[in-house]
Short mmCIF file of all heavy atoms in Angstrom, two decimals:
data_model
loop_
_atom_site.label_atom_id
_atom_site.label_comp_id
_atom_site.label_asym_id
_atom_site.label_seq_id
_atom_site.Cartn_x
_atom_site.Cartn_y
_atom_site.Cartn_z
N LEU A 1 1.04 53.56 -101.11
CA LEU A 1 1.35 55.00 -100.80
C LEU A 1 -0.03 55.64 -100.38
O LEU A 1 -0.82 56.22 -101.09
CB LEU A 1 1.81 55.65 -101.97
CG LEU A 1 3.27 55.21 -102.46
CD1 LEU A 1 3.51 55.56 -103.94
CD2 LEU A 1 4.38 55.82 -101.47
N GLY A 2 -0.24 55.50 -99.13
CA GLY A 2 -1.60 55.80 -98.53
C GLY A 2 -1.63 57.13 -97.84
O GLY A 2 -0.83 57.37 -96.92
N LEU A 3 -2.63 57.93 -98.16
CA LEU A 3 -2.87 59.22 -97.48
C LEU A 3 -3.45 59.08 -96.19
O LEU A 3 -4.61 58.43 -96.25
CB LEU A 3 -3.59 60.11 -98.46
CG LEU A 3 -3.92 61.56 -98.01
CD1 LEU A 3 -2.59 62.37 -97.92
CD2 LEU A 3 -4.80 62.42 -98.88
N VAL A 4 -2.99 59.59 -95.21
CA VAL A 4 -3.54 59.45 -93.85
C VAL A 4 -3.68 60.85 -93.16
O VAL A 4 -2.97 61.77 -93.56
CB VAL A 4 -2.72 58.62 -92.89
CG1 VAL A 4 -2.58 57.14 -93.50
CG2 VAL A 4 -1.32 59.09 -92.63
N HIS A 5 -4.61 60.95 -92.28
CA HIS A 5 -4.75 62.27 -91.62
C HIS A 5 -4.76 62.06 -90.03
O HIS A 5 -5.26 61.15 -89.54
CB HIS A 5 -6.19 62.84 -91.96
CG HIS A 5 -6.29 63.23 -93.34
ND1 HIS A 5 -6.28 62.31 -94.37
CD2 HIS A 5 -6.46 64.48 -93.87
CE1 HIS A 5 -6.43 63.07 -95.52
NE2 HIS A 5 -6.58 64.34 -95.21
N ARG A 6 -4.11 63.03 -89.41
CA ARG A 6 -3.92 63.07 -87.95
C ARG A 6 -4.15 64.48 -87.52
O ARG A 6 -3.58 65.33 -88.06
CB ARG A 6 -2.69 62.37 -87.50
CG ARG A 6 -2.59 60.95 -87.81
CD ARG A 6 -1.20 60.41 -87.32
NE ARG A 6 -1.00 59.10 -87.92
CZ ARG A 6 0.14 58.32 -87.73
NH1 ARG A 6 1.12 58.94 -87.05
NH2 ARG A 6 0.25 57.16 -88.33
N HIS A 7 -4.90 64.56 -86.44
CA HIS A 7 -5.15 65.98 -85.77
C HIS A 7 -4.09 66.38 -84.96
O HIS A 7 -4.15 66.25 -83.69
CB HIS A 7 -6.51 66.09 -85.14
CG HIS A 7 -6.85 67.40 -84.58
ND1 HIS A 7 -6.91 68.52 -85.34
CD2 HIS A 7 -6.99 67.86 -83.31
CE1 HIS A 7 -7.10 69.62 -84.50
NE2 HIS A 7 -7.23 69.11 -83.36
N GLU A 8 -3.00 66.86 -85.57
CA GLU A 8 -1.96 67.54 -84.71
C GLU A 8 -2.31 68.80 -84.04
O GLU A 8 -2.93 69.54 -84.84
CB GLU A 8 -0.67 67.61 -85.57
CG GLU A 8 -0.16 66.39 -86.24
CD GLU A 8 0.52 65.36 -85.33
OE1 GLU A 8 0.62 65.75 -84.16
OE2 GLU A 8 0.84 64.20 -85.77
N LEU A 9 -1.86 69.09 -82.94
CA LEU A 9 -2.14 70.49 -82.46
C LEU A 9 -1.37 71.52 -83.19
O LEU A 9 -0.27 71.35 -83.77
CB LEU A 9 -1.57 70.51 -80.99
CG LEU A 9 -2.15 69.52 -79.97
CD1 LEU A 9 -1.38 69.62 -78.64
CD2 LEU A 9 -3.60 69.89 -79.70
N SER A 10 -2.10 72.69 -83.27
CA SER A 10 -1.57 73.74 -84.14
C SER A 10 -0.20 74.24 -83.85
O SER A 10 0.66 74.55 -84.63
CB SER A 10 -2.54 74.89 -84.09
OG SER A 10 -2.68 75.37 -82.79
N GLY A 11 0.19 74.15 -82.49
CA GLY A 11 1.43 74.71 -82.05
C GLY A 11 2.61 73.72 -82.46
O GLY A 11 3.74 74.05 -82.35
N THR A 12 2.26 72.44 -82.83
CA THR A 12 3.25 71.47 -83.19
C THR A 12 3.54 71.35 -84.75
O THR A 12 4.47 70.82 -85.08
CB THR A 12 2.90 70.07 -82.74
OG1 THR A 12 1.62 69.56 -83.45
CG2 THR A 12 2.59 70.17 -81.23
N LEU A 13 2.65 71.99 -85.42
CA LEU A 13 2.85 72.11 -87.00
C LEU A 13 4.18 72.68 -87.36
O LEU A 13 4.51 73.67 -86.79
CB LEU A 13 1.67 72.67 -87.67
CG LEU A 13 0.27 72.09 -87.42
CD1 LEU A 13 -0.85 72.94 -88.05
CD2 LEU A 13 0.29 70.74 -87.83
N HIS A 14 4.79 72.06 -88.39
CA HIS A 14 6.19 72.56 -88.78
C HIS A 14 6.42 72.21 -90.17
O HIS A 14 6.91 71.26 -90.49
CB HIS A 14 7.27 72.06 -87.80
CG HIS A 14 8.66 72.52 -88.20
ND1 HIS A 14 9.09 73.78 -87.82
CD2 HIS A 14 9.68 71.92 -88.79
CE1 HIS A 14 10.23 74.03 -88.25
NE2 HIS A 14 10.68 72.96 -88.83
N GLY A 15 6.11 73.12 -91.01
CA GLY A 15 6.35 72.89 -92.51
C GLY A 15 5.84 71.56 -92.98
O GLY A 15 4.70 71.13 -92.73
N LEU A 16 6.75 70.83 -93.63
CA LEU A 16 6.49 69.47 -94.05
C LEU A 16 6.87 68.34 -93.02
O LEU A 16 6.40 67.20 -93.13
CB LEU A 16 7.23 69.12 -95.40
CG LEU A 16 6.90 69.94 -96.61
CD1 LEU A 16 7.76 69.42 -97.76
CD2 LEU A 16 5.45 69.83 -97.00
N MET A 17 7.55 68.87 -92.02
CA MET A 17 7.99 67.90 -91.05
C MET A 17 6.84 67.32 -90.07
O MET A 17 6.86 66.22 -89.54
CB MET A 17 9.15 68.59 -90.13
CG MET A 17 10.18 69.01 -90.90
SD MET A 17 11.10 67.67 -91.80
CE MET A 17 12.71 68.48 -92.18
N ARG A 18 5.88 68.26 -89.73
CA ARG A 18 4.81 67.99 -88.84
C ARG A 18 3.54 68.49 -89.51
O ARG A 18 3.30 69.64 -89.58
CB ARG A 18 5.03 68.52 -87.53
CG ARG A 18 4.17 67.88 -86.46
CD ARG A 18 4.58 66.55 -86.10
NE ARG A 18 3.76 65.97 -85.02
CZ ARG A 18 4.08 66.06 -83.70
NH1 ARG A 18 5.29 66.59 -83.43
NH2 ARG A 18 3.36 65.49 -82.79
N VAL A 19 2.74 67.69 -90.12
CA VAL A 19 1.56 68.11 -90.88
C VAL A 19 0.40 67.23 -90.48
O VAL A 19 0.44 66.32 -89.63
CB VAL A 19 1.74 67.89 -92.38
CG1 VAL A 19 2.83 68.86 -92.89
CG2 VAL A 19 2.14 66.42 -92.68
N ARG A 20 -0.84 67.70 -91.02
CA ARG A 20 -2.04 66.98 -90.59
C ARG A 20 -2.52 65.97 -91.55
O ARG A 20 -3.35 65.16 -91.34
CB ARG A 20 -3.16 67.96 -90.33
CG ARG A 20 -2.93 68.68 -89.04
CD ARG A 20 -4.01 69.83 -88.80
NE ARG A 20 -3.90 70.24 -87.46
CZ ARG A 20 -4.40 71.57 -87.10
NH1 ARG A 20 -4.76 72.42 -88.00
NH2 ARG A 20 -4.26 71.96 -85.84
N ASN A 21 -1.97 66.05 -92.74
CA ASN A 21 -2.13 64.93 -93.76
C ASN A 21 -0.79 64.61 -94.44
O ASN A 21 -0.05 65.50 -94.78
CB ASN A 21 -3.30 65.25 -94.77
CG ASN A 21 -2.78 66.23 -95.83
OD1 ASN A 21 -2.18 67.19 -95.62
ND2 ASN A 21 -3.28 65.89 -97.05
N PHE A 22 -0.59 63.26 -94.55
CA PHE A 22 0.70 62.89 -95.18
C PHE A 22 0.57 61.48 -95.82
O PHE A 22 -0.37 60.73 -95.47
CB PHE A 22 1.94 62.89 -94.24
CG PHE A 22 1.56 62.11 -93.00
CD1 PHE A 22 2.13 60.74 -92.87
CD2 PHE A 22 0.94 62.63 -91.85
CE1 PHE A 22 1.89 60.06 -91.70
CE2 PHE A 22 0.75 61.88 -90.74
CZ PHE A 22 1.24 60.58 -90.69
N THR A 23 1.46 61.16 -96.67
CA THR A 23 1.47 59.97 -97.46
C THR A 23 2.46 58.99 -96.85
O THR A 23 3.66 59.34 -96.76
CB THR A 23 1.71 60.22 -98.91
OG1 THR A 23 0.82 61.09 -99.40
CG2 THR A 23 1.68 58.84 -99.68
N GLN A 24 1.93 57.87 -96.20
CA GLN A 24 2.82 56.93 -95.66
C GLN A 24 3.20 55.88 -96.85
O GLN A 24 2.32 55.38 -97.52
CB GLN A 24 2.22 56.12 -94.60
CG GLN A 24 2.20 56.83 -93.20
CD GLN A 24 1.67 56.00 -92.13
OE1 GLN A 24 0.72 55.25 -92.31
NE2 GLN A 24 2.31 56.16 -90.92
#
């Protein structure tokens, strides 16, 4: 259960559906 980070554009962020850090 690994925490990863990706630099998503601010306009694409959407609640929990599109975030900049998430657990795969």
Side-chain angles (χ1 to χ4, degrees):
L1 292 160
L3 183 65
V4 299
H5 290 70
R6 297 180 191 171
H7 179 58
E8 302 286 356
L9 296 175
S10 58
T12 66
L13 299 175
H14 181 75
L16 298 179
M17 303 298 197
R18 195 73 176 264
V19 291
R20 286 175 168 154
N21 76 318
F22 55 94
T23 302
Q24 281 186 320

